[in-house]
Amino acid sequence: MSNPKTILKLDVSARGKASVSRQLADDLVARLLEADPQARVLTRDLSTGLPFIDEAWIGANFTDPAERTPEQKLKLALSDTLVNELRSADILVIGLPVYNFGVPATLKAWIDLVARARETFRYTENGPVGLLDGRKAYVVFASGGTAIGSDIDFASGYLRHMLGFVGITDVSFIAADQMMMDADAKREAARAAIEDLAGRAA
């Protein structure tokens, strides 16, 4: 009997329960669970804050694991936890609110903590290769005025690139963009997209 799948859900928005990206990500996870009731869900709320990498973190990360001091291991402990969460996931669901045309600082901090050479990617003579292939990612993109894929959208392309950088190339975006224009219509379109994607995942 195969092991149940793990869904890792990243909540990013600082708006809490009022967040459209959180609500739609919850809807998506609920539909994925309907399709696979045995799947387990692991939630990481990034809105509570993550530390930014600093000189000590970089020094610890580039020290051979066998030679790291207890202080260096402690410095990398949270990063190790986040990397292990990502490794354990078969499906990644990210609720992505657009802040000032880009990703929120907490999501960028998460990316900096999980994009680690020898852990989630490796360097080869042909360039970097991601180590987390075989996973599926869904990104729920919510914005007030930024159209997904537009010239002022610096969030979706960046996130797709970074996921691909660590090997996650099967990425689907669900957009509730430009909510200031027609929030109800945008939300319903996103919910319809969730139904469609979840149905195909069943």
Side-chain angles (χ1 to χ4, degrees), residues 1-19:
M1 184 175 179
S2 61
N3 293 326
K5 289 184 178 180
T6 296
I7 301 169
L8 173 61
K9 180 165 73 78
L10 299 183
D11 287 326
V12 181
S13 174
R15 297 186 63 214
K17 293 181 179 179
S19 161

Side-chain angles (χ1 to χ4, degrees), residues 28-29 41 53 67 72 84 95 98 104 111 145 151-152 161 164 195 199:
L28 174 57
V29 169
V41 180
I53 62 173
E67 298 178 1
Q72 288 177 319
N84 287 331
V98 177
I111 290 169
D151 290 343
I152 60 171
H161 174 79
E195 291 297 320

